[in-house]
Amino acid sequence: MLIHWAVVPTCLPIVRRRCHACASRCLRASGKFRVNANHKLIDVWLLVLCTECGETAKLTVLERMTVRTIPPELLDRLHANDRGLIAELLQDPDVQHRNRFALDWDDAWRLDTGGSDHLDLDVIDVAVRNAARIPVRPTRLIADGFGLSRGEVGRLITEGKVVSAVRMSGKLSGDFAFTLKR
């Protein structure tokens, strides 16, 4: 039987970057963009707030771009402080690299298993869809989804009772599938 699970974000992740005003390394998205136009050139920043002191910092999104090169729908989303766009830009590798930050997804996601009616089956095929490229440990997902300890999941993997085409150690941020044999 094929079961579908989803890793779903519950809120925006913490931005891991040093605050310029204090020693904190945790910033959170304010939910706002700053758009500044200078004649035909435009700059866009995503505003983030320090979780300790509340100081505002700017993450560069667009720098010295001509207004005509930016799609009008993108400009509308920037002016509307579109929350979906904020999530997209925080996960954009180019934005992360340019601003030298990483994301901390702890306590910012949940596993949607669609119910527990599948727990008593002998062989279960599970397809996991990661809605936002959240890095998660497959062993944690299996443990949470089936109500097992992570040690027990590790034992099942060692015994060959959990089989997958992907490596089950470490973290994955994409979709994957596995089979559990009891």
Side-chain angles (χ1 to χ4, degrees), residues 14 16 110 130 160:
I14 294 292
R16 291 283 180 197
R110 67 178 171 78
N130 197 329

Side-chain angles (χ1 to χ4, degrees), residues 5 119 140-150 152-153 182:
W5 288 357
L119 296 178
R140 178 178 175 191
L141 293 181
I142 295 168
D144 289 353
F146 289 106
L148 304 170
S149 70
R150 285 177 59 186
E152 191 172 350
V153 172
R182 295 194 185 227

Side-chain angles (χ1 to χ4, degrees), residues 18-125:
R18 189 176 178 285
C19 172
H20 63 273
C22 70
S24 174
R25 293 194 143 292
C26 295
L27 305 167
R28 64 178 169 77
S30 71
K32 297 185 180 191
F33 290 101
R34 174 152 186 239
V35 181
N36 185 33
N38 185 1
H39 300 287
K40 295 179 182 177
L41 299 178
I42 193 168
D43 294 306
V44 177
W45 299 278
L46 173 60
L47 302 179
V48 292
L49 305 171
C50 177
T51 58
E52 294 289 320
C53 68
E55 188 69 26
T56 302
K58 298 185 293 189
L59 303 178
T60 302
V61 176
L62 298 174
E63 193 169 37
R64 311 308 284 160
M65 298 281 298
T66 56
V67 176
R68 290 185 183 196
T69 62
I70 301 171
E73 353 19 278
L74 177 59
L75 278 175
D76 291 342
R77 291 178 75 189
L78 290 167
H79 287 297
N81 293 317
D82 185 302
R83 196 156 174 84
L85 181 60
I86 293 170
E88 289 173 32
L89 290 171
L90 283 174
Q91 295 178 57
D92 185 325
D94 293 334
V95 173
Q96 288 181 9
H97 179 72
R98 180 185 308 129
N99 293 284
R100 288 178 253 131
F101 72 88
L103 295 177
D104 181 353
W105 283 97
D106 290 348
D107 302 322
W109 62 274
R110 67 178 171 78
L111 177 64
D112 182 9
T113 61
S116 60
D117 58 342
H118 57 275
L119 296 178
D120 58 345
L121 299 173
D122 290 336
V123 177
I124 304 168
D125 294 316

Side-chain angles (χ1 to χ4, degrees), residues 1-5 118 121 123-128 176-179:
M1 177 176 190
L2 179 63
I3 306 293
H4 294 278
W5 288 357
H118 57 275
L121 299 173
V123 177
I124 304 168
D125 294 316
V126 179
V128 180
F176 69 98
F178 66 91
T179 301

Side-chain angles (χ1 to χ4, degrees), residues 153-164 179-181:
V153 172
R155 183 183 55 78
L156 290 171
I157 292 171
T158 303
E159 293 174 357
K161 293 185 178 183
V162 174
V163 181
S164 179
T179 301
L180 173 67
K181 303 171 191 171

